[in-house]
Amino acid sequence: PAGFFDDINKAPPAGKVSGTAALFAELEAKGQAAAAGLRKVSKDQMTHKNPALRASNVVSAGAVKSSSSAPTAAAPAVAAKKAPKMDNAGNKWFIENFENKEDLVLEDVTPRTAVLFVKNKQSLIQIPGKINTLSIDSCTKCRVLVGSCVASVEIINCQSVQIQVTGTTPMITMDGCAGVIVYLSQQCIDDDVAIVSSKCSEMNVVLPGKTDEEDPTEIPVPEQFETKIKNGKLETNALSHVGA
């Protein structure tokens, strides 16, 4: 009887090629056709056998350009310079954005006038009359001369500012400033003016001489403090400056 594997082991008839053999024959024929047009390379043209040729074919990094180059960082925006102004709105005067202006004078004031001197640089303003409040905010290297203030003088976020009070004011406050000099009149001293400061450095108060012949006295405002606990409460005292 015929075996189970007889059909598989039986050789194909003469002149006929099995499917697998035919596939390999077709691939070999196509490979030979593709290689027919290729030029044979000699040994001296092979880079793995010719170091000099291999070195000459190195591509420099600059010759290759990345298709995804990083975007150029945008330049920081420059804030537009605002025009100086000296405007009156009711009982308020706004003097802003002046630079290198040494002849500013404000005379149209009353004891109800509030003056705001804001964002000025290297400028001088004179306010000879009596006003209600004076606020000097974000100014640099400016000088302010004021007659009297009914309420207070405020100096906020300023650098290298000088202010002179020729009359009187009950209070002068300084916040976030550096390099402030306050010139007081004898009337301010007699009226027991209060000076309040916070987060400031390099503050000085100039007191007038007792006579016209005596020089003014410049005294630094304390910047360091010592706090002690006594009977469950905090007691804070200013530390004296060296040479004060």
Side-chain angles (χ1 to χ4, degrees), residues 17-244:
V17 182
S18 66
T20 304
L23 176 62
F24 280 108
E26 183 180 357
L27 291 176
E28 183 179 359
K30 290 183 178 180
Q32 291 177 352
L38 299 178
R39 181 172 61 85
K40 186 176 181 179
V41 179
S42 60
K43 292 183 178 180
D44 62 341
Q45 293 176 320
M46 298 179 182
T47 56
H48 68 285
K49 292 187 177 183
N50 192 338
L53 183 63
R54 186 165 60 248
S56 65
N57 288 336
V58 176
V59 180
S60 63
V64 181
K65 294 183 179 180
S66 174
S67 60
S68 59
S69 58
T72 305
V78 179
K81 189 174 181 180
K82 295 184 179 180
K85 70 175 184 178
M86 192 171 183
D87 295 337
N88 176 249
N91 289 323
K92 289 186 178 181
W93 273 99
F94 297 89
I95 302 98
E96 301 178 89
N97 307 314
F98 283 95
E99 191 168 348
N100 298 315
K101 189 71 171 174
E102 298 284 339
D103 57 354
L104 294 171
V105 180
L106 183 59
E107 295 181 326
D108 185 17
V109 296
T110 70
R112 298 181 62 186
T113 302
V115 178
L116 289 84
F117 192 69
V118 182
K119 294 182 179 179
N120 300 291
K121 294 182 179 180
Q122 296 181 328
S123 297
L124 166 66
I125 184 171
Q126 299 182 58
I127 312 170
K130 178 185 285 189
I131 61 177
N132 186 268
T133 59
L134 169 62
S135 179
I136 307 169
D137 191 352
S138 303
C139 293
T140 304
K141 295 182 179 180
C142 289
R143 292 174 292 163
V144 179
L145 186 147
V146 63
S148 294
C149 290
V150 175
S152 65
V153 174
E154 298 178 346
I155 309 171
I156 307 167
N157 297 326
C158 291
Q159 305 287 324
S160 302
V161 167
Q162 299 181 29
I163 178 170
Q164 181 175 0
V165 182
T166 59
T168 186
T169 184
M171 180 176 293
I172 298 174
T173 64
M174 295 179 281
D175 185 12
C177 300
V180 178
I181 301 178
V182 179
Y183 294 86
L184 297 178
S185 66
Q186 186 59 47
Q187 186 177 354
C188 282
I189 299 172
D190 295 339
D191 291 343
D192 198 20
V193 60
I195 299 175
V196 179
S197 61
S198 62
K199 296 180 290 184
C200 294
S201 62
E202 302 174 48
M203 303 169 292
N204 291 275
V205 175
V206 179
L207 307 180
K210 295 180 180 179
T211 64
D212 294 339
E213 291 77 19
E214 186 177 344
D215 293 332
T217 303
E218 186 169 348
I219 304 173
V221 177
E223 299 176 28
Q224 293 181 317
F225 303 89
E226 179 184 64
T227 300
K228 293 184 177 182
I229 303 172
K230 291 185 178 181
N231 300 322
K233 297 181 179 180
L234 300 182
E235 290 188 3
T236 302
N237 296 298
L239 295 179
S240 300
H241 286 66
V242 175

